[in-house]
Amino acid sequence: MNVIDYISRPGRAFFSPSVVCLLCLLIAPSCFAQVNDQVAELLHKGKTAFDSGQSAEALGYFTRASVLAPQIAEIKLNIALALKEEEKYPEEIAALQSALSVKPTLKGANLFLGVAYYRLDDYGKATQALKNELRRNPKDAQVLMWLGVVDLAAHNFKSAAAYLDQAAELAPKDADILYHRGRAHLLLSQDSYQKMYQSDPGSWRVHEVLAQAYSTADRQTEAISEYKEAIRLAPEETGLHLELGDQYYAASKPDSAEAEYLAELKLDPYSDAAMYKLGSLRVDRGNASEAIPLLESVLARKPEFSEAYYYLGRAQDAMGEDEKAVASLNLAITTKPSADTLQQTYYQLSRVYRKLHRVDQAKVALSKFEELKTKSDATQQQKLQDRMKRQERRSEEEADGISR
């Protein structure tokens, strides 16, 4: 086991006592000969106290052990960890500096030092300590993450995003790294938009960005208003009617959505996105005959467009073209659609097979639909739990920021 095992959340519960390696696990084998029975006993008692959440008591034992064995940097690191649990960051910093003076290569010490400086809002010294750690461990995702976290606090969004991108490459499934990475890119975008607004507040781009922000927040009324203003300022700009149509669709205004998709096609007659959205909307509205030419035109240029095959299959089913519907729906399945589209396609396919009296094939399609739905429900439940955990983490971080 390594000297330090890192926990990446920057809230108060930054490191769990269970990950701290104490006694012989923390002390390098080369130091064993220097640890007498009394020091070993103190370390053992300190570990026991630390594991029980008694950091103050553990601190006493580690301090006494360090007096007897001042040459062992790892004991000083134990002192720092106990001080960290007590939220005595200046004292923790002193202990870490003492450990590094004895052993400059002590793994993890500069990481803890950087985090301690971060707790005191000293971002310059935090960055320097973390860079010292990174020089010795250039592939440490947690060090890179903390460099990003510190830069975020210092409003160095571009640098933060770069560090967090590197961390995500090394640990692509680390939820904390991904959370901070997303936040860094969001803040970097907001900073860019703010500068754009300052340089040209009357630009149609400003209204487009505002509309996109409202859309992300599910505020369709405001988004529609901003897209309309963007179109007023740039009536020949392609893409705006398409985005406005999406907002009308989300706001359950299909007539307005269809009008905007048609307006987009007037500006850009070869817009596959506008054709697909208009076609799919017409399928949903029961106008299959006018949807089919649009969807077939899209698929002629994009033969791997799974969602278009799904809607084409639905339209053909509605027109009584059952065999064509089966062919289109099977193409939707084989062209790697999204999970939602795949689930819906199997359900639609089971219906068409029943109409064709292909009972066995209908049962297979329905069984596949039910299997996918079960997985989807479980995934949605997990996403809900993850969202709740992220909200809890943000609350912890906000509370930590207030108390510092």
Side-chain angles (χ1 to χ4, degrees), residues 323-340:
E323 293 293 350
K324 288 184 178 180
V326 167
S328 295
L329 292 168
N330 276 308
L331 282 169
I333 292 170
T334 58
T335 48
K336 299 180 180 179
S338 66
D340 287 342

Side-chain angles (χ1 to χ4, degrees), residues 11-272:
R12 285 190 175 278
F14 174 54
F15 293 104
S16 168
S18 63
V19 304
V20 181
C21 312
L22 301 171
L23 196 55
C24 294
L25 291 178
L26 182 58
I27 298 176
S30 60
C31 298
F32 285 164
Q34 303 174 51
V35 179
N36 59 34
D37 291 342
Q38 186 178 2
V39 171
E41 179 64 20
L42 288 169
L43 290 174
H44 177 74
K45 289 180 177 179
K47 178 185 184 303
T48 301
F50 199 97
D51 288 344
S52 300
Q54 305 298 319
S55 53
E57 183 179 346
L59 177 60
Y61 287 124
F62 296 148
T63 301
R64 289 164 59 191
S66 186
V67 170
L68 295 173
Q71 76 282 11
I72 301 178
E74 288 79 359
I75 299 178
K76 298 179 186 294
L77 181 56
N78 281 4
I79 292 173
L81 294 174
L83 288 165
K84 176 196 65 60
E85 291 299 311
E86 292 291 298
E87 298 182 8
K88 296 180 178 179
Y89 302 123
E91 293 88 343
E92 178 193 357
I93 288 170
L96 290 166
Q97 289 173 333
S98 179
L100 286 166
S101 69
V102 174
K103 188 176 181 180
T105 61
L106 183 59
K107 181 176 172 61
N110 273 299
L111 170 62
F112 283 102
L113 184 59
V115 175
Y117 277 126
Y118 165 80
R119 297 297 187 200
L120 297 177
D121 297 330
D122 193 336
Y123 304 135
K125 289 182 179 178
T127 297
Q128 186 57 56
L130 291 165
K131 285 183 176 180
N132 289 339
E133 185 73 27
L134 190 65
R135 276 194 290 271
R136 297 187 178 92
N137 303 289
K139 297 296 183 180
D140 193 317
Q142 298 303 312
V143 178
L144 287 164
M145 187 203 79
W146 272 106
L147 279 164
V149 169
V150 172
D151 272 339
L152 280 176
H155 292 180
N156 298 325
F157 304 134
K158 184 176 181 179
S159 176
Y163 281 127
L164 289 159
D165 284 343
Q166 293 180 61
E169 288 183 9
L170 295 168
K173 295 183 179 180
D174 188 304
D176 291 306
I177 289 174
L178 294 175
Y179 163 72
H180 290 297
R181 182 194 187 198
R183 184 164 168 259
H185 283 282
L186 176 62
L187 291 170
L188 183 60
S189 296
Q190 290 176 343
D191 183 59
S192 178
Y193 295 149
Q194 181 64 27
K195 290 176 180 176
M196 177 184 70
Y197 177 77
Q198 291 170 350
S199 65
D200 188 4
S203 169
W204 66 269
R205 284 289 189 189
V206 172
H207 294 284
E208 182 186 31
V209 167
L210 287 172
Q212 291 169 346
Y214 283 131
S215 174
T216 301
D218 293 324
R219 295 169 61 179
Q220 278 81 38
T221 300
E222 293 92 336
I224 288 169
S225 178
E226 292 297 338
Y227 276 126
K228 283 183 175 180
E229 182 60 18
I231 291 170
R232 187 187 69 80
L233 294 169
E236 301 301 316
E237 187 66 33
T238 59
L240 292 176
H241 285 286
L242 185 67
E243 293 178 285
L244 178 55
D246 291 345
Q247 294 310 304
Y248 277 128
Y249 183 83
S252 300
K253 296 181 178 180
D255 289 338
S256 297
E258 186 162 334
E260 292 304 324
Y261 294 147
L262 285 168
E264 184 68 24
L265 283 171
K266 286 182 180 179
L267 290 174
D268 184 3
Y270 298 101
S271 171
D272 289 329

